[in-house]
Amino acid sequence: MKKHNDIEKILVSEEEIRSAVSTLAKKITEDYESSPRQLLLIGILKGSVIFLADLMREIGIPAEIEFMKVSSYGDSTTPGHLNITLDLPQLDLSGYDVLVVEDIIDSGRTLSFLCNYLHQRGAASVRTVTMLDKPSRREVAFVPDYTGKVIPNHFAVGYGLDYAQKYRDLPYIGVLKEDVYKTGS
Ligand code: IMP
Ligand code: MG
C-alpha cells in the first residue's frame, strides 16, 4: 500500500510549506536577532518534529532545542485536563527567549496551558509558532505569535501531523479520505 493512497486532497503543498517556513524564519530572525538572550525552540512532540527541523535550519541566529510532550487525561468531554508527560530538564529559563513550536492549533488548550507553565518556570519571554491554525475551532482564546497557514475545519495529516500515528511522513499536508476514518485501516 502506497502511503499517498489515503489522501483525498492536498491542503498545503510542499512548495507552500517551504515558502511558509522561510517567511516565518525570516520574521523570527528579525524579531530575535537583537535580543541579548539565547533563543530556545521547544518542540511539542510528536507533531512538531518535521516543522521544527525545517524551521531551525532557516532561522538565521543560533537556537537551542528542547522537546516537551503534553497529553490530555480523563475523558475528552472534560477539556482542559492536560498533563506534561515529557518535561524540560532542570533548566533555568530566565536566560532564554522561549519559542514554542507546534504543528497545529485547534482548541487552543495545549498552547495556552504550556505558555502559562513556561512563564511559571521563569522564562524571560514566551512566544509561539505554529505551522497550521484552525481558528474556527477555538475553545479558549489563544492567538499564536507566528502562523504558517490558517486552514478551515479539516482534520489535517502529513508534515508531522498524524491520524492514529500514521501519515506523519507525508511531505505535504492533506486531508484523509472519509473511508479511512470509517474502516480505521
Ligand atoms: P489543541 O490543544 O486543541 O489546540 O490541540 C492541538 C493538538 O491536537 C495538536 O498538537 C495536534 O496534536 C492535535 N490536532 C488538532 N487538530 C489536528 C489535525 O487536524 N490533525 C492532526 N492533529 C491535530
Ligand atoms: Mg500535537
Side-chain angles (χ1 to χ4, degrees), residues 18-112:
R18 264 196 299 279
S19 151
V21 169
S22 143
T23 304
L24 288 170
K26 194 160 170 269
K27 185 80 175 75
I28 290 165
T29 304
E30 283 167 13
D31 290 356
Y32 287 94
E33 64 190 346
S34 58
S35 172
R37 294 174 293 263
Q38 171 67 47
L39 177 61
L40 174 63
L41 305 177
I42 300 182
I44 308 309
L45 294 174
K46 302 174 192 169
S48 73
V49 289
I50 296 175
F51 176 44
L52 174 72
D54 282 349
L55 187 69
M56 70 185 292
R57 285 178 289 180
E58 292 280 322
I59 291 175
I61 54 169
E64 294 183 16
I65 59 168
E66 291 289 349
F67 293 94
M68 294 182 76
K69 196 166 185 179
V70 181
S71 309
S72 45
Y73 63 92
D75 69 277
S76 56
T77 56
T78 43
H81 290 84
L82 293 169
N83 217 3
I84 295 174
T85 52
L86 176 69
D87 203 348
L88 295 172
Q90 287 309 316
L91 190 65
D92 177 8
L93 292 181
S94 65
Y96 287 99
D97 286 321
V98 170
L99 181 58
V100 181
V101 182
E102 181 60 302
D103 52 356
I104 186 164
I105 307 178
D106 191 57
S107 70
R109 292 183 187 280
T110 305
L111 280 188
S112 56

Side-chain angles (χ1 to χ4, degrees), residues 4 45 52 60 78 103 114 130 156 161-162 180:
H4 302 279
L45 294 174
L52 174 72
T78 43
D103 52 356
L114 272 178
T130 187
L161 293 122
D162 74 305
V180 179

